[in-house]
Amino acid sequence: MEKAKVYFSKSITPETVIRLYEALEVELPGKVAVKVHSGEVGNQNFIRPNFWKPMIDQVQGTIVECNTAYEGKRNTTEAHWETMKLHGWTDIAPVDIMDEEGEIALPVEGGTFLKENFVGKNLQNYDSLLVLSHFKGHPMGGFGGAIKNISIGIASSHGKAHIHGAGVPEEIWSADHDSFLASMAEAAQSIAARFAGKVAYINVMANMSVDCDCCAVAEDPKIGDIGVLASLNPLALDQACLDLVYASQDPGKGDLIERIESRNGVHTLDVAEKLGFAGRSYELVER
């Protein structure tokens, strides 16, 4: 498989995001869903709306999210709307909580644990997808990037439990760990297939706590900011981010690497590669 181009800049600004997006030379047609992480109330590390606003304006997109499957301020539609307003998302663009009125099932091709992926019903209203991800650690997944954002992130509340439980929602917190990691890759396959040729991915490597933006009480970052990356390939993009963490000269990287390795986070990328919906090799192009 041909190496994917992953564009990279050490500059972390809204203008850099747009510049790297333009380097992708992709046209996102029709109505554009822009997947962000809304941030749990109390979290100090999530990427703020004003940082993403110029990029969202560029594609005239609608911010999309889905409800969570655990306690917090985003686990019901009512609470999630309050959080979106509190954090300022509704001030910068239209917002759609996609599972507000239910869910739909997308087929998963080649999955071991998932045969279908349950996503917010309103996903069917969009023609293309822009995935704006905050690369950081994660208490269960080891790390979160583009693959997690299109799998767990786009899944409905029930769909999130379905992925966490490796196909058995009732086992949301008790399923085999590697099976959960594999299920994230399988769910991502269904989204990549749904938007094939009409999706772009941007990862921001800043505020990289060992914890996710879904944590109300998160660890402060120990590793310094690295930059912005963009690609048409989510697997190559996440792999490039991992490689940059390992290559960093910042002594604070140890905590993030320990989180990634202790949760076997790379297994998600291993499974995604085997599923074949994206290649893992890449060419890093500095811009």
Side-chain angles (χ1 to χ4, degrees), residues 95-268:
V95 172
D96 183 358
I97 297 176
M98 293 190 293
D99 59 340
E100 183 171 13
E101 297 180 358
E103 64 187 16
I104 57 172
L106 299 180
V108 174
E109 299 296 333
T112 299
F113 302 99
L114 306 185
K115 300 307 176 188
E116 51 189 358
N117 177 34
F118 299 98
V119 302
K121 179 181 177 182
N122 291 352
L123 186 69
Q124 64 190 343
N125 298 336
Y126 297 93
D127 304 298
S128 54
L129 178 64
L130 175 62
V131 184
L132 304 179
S133 304
H134 177 204
F135 186 90
K136 68 286 182 192
H138 191 277
M140 290 190 69
F143 73 93
I147 293 287
K148 180 178 180 295
N149 206 6
I150 62 171
S151 57
I152 289 284
I154 290 177
S156 65
S157 181
H158 161 250
K160 287 176 171 62
H162 184 246
I163 294 168
H164 267 282
V168 185
E170 296 76 19
E171 296 181 8
I172 179 172
W173 306 126
S174 59
D176 173 73
H177 184 71
D178 280 1
S179 300
F180 151 63
L181 297 174
S183 296
M184 280 203 292
E186 294 176 4
Q189 183 278 329
S190 73
I191 299 297
R194 165 67 175 78
F195 290 102
K198 298 178 290 185
V199 57
Y201 305 88
I202 297 171
N203 282 6
V204 171
M205 301 184 74
N207 305 339
M208 289 180 288
S209 168
V210 298
D211 290 324
C212 181
D213 298 340
C214 55
C215 300
V217 180
E219 291 285 337
D220 287 331
K222 299 260 187 358
I223 185 174
D225 298 347
I226 290 177
V228 178
L229 297 90
S231 184
L232 300 179
N233 178 324
L235 176 54
L237 181 61
D238 281 355
Q239 183 64 58
C241 289
L242 284 179
D243 291 344
L244 286 169
V245 168
Y246 278 88
S248 171
Q249 299 303 304
D250 190 324
K253 72 180 183 180
D255 281 10
L256 182 54
I257 290 173
E258 191 279 334
R259 174 58 57 90
I260 294 166
E261 293 184 347
S262 67
R263 302 325 194 252
N264 196 24
V266 73
H267 186 61
T268 301

Side-chain angles (χ1 to χ4, degrees), residues 45-64:
N45 298 317
F46 73 95
I47 307 297
R48 298 310 198 261
N50 284 340
F51 180 87
W52 291 127
K53 183 182 188 305
M55 184 66 253
I56 296 169
D57 289 346
Q58 177 91 355
V59 298
Q60 298 181 312
T62 298
I63 295 166
V64 300

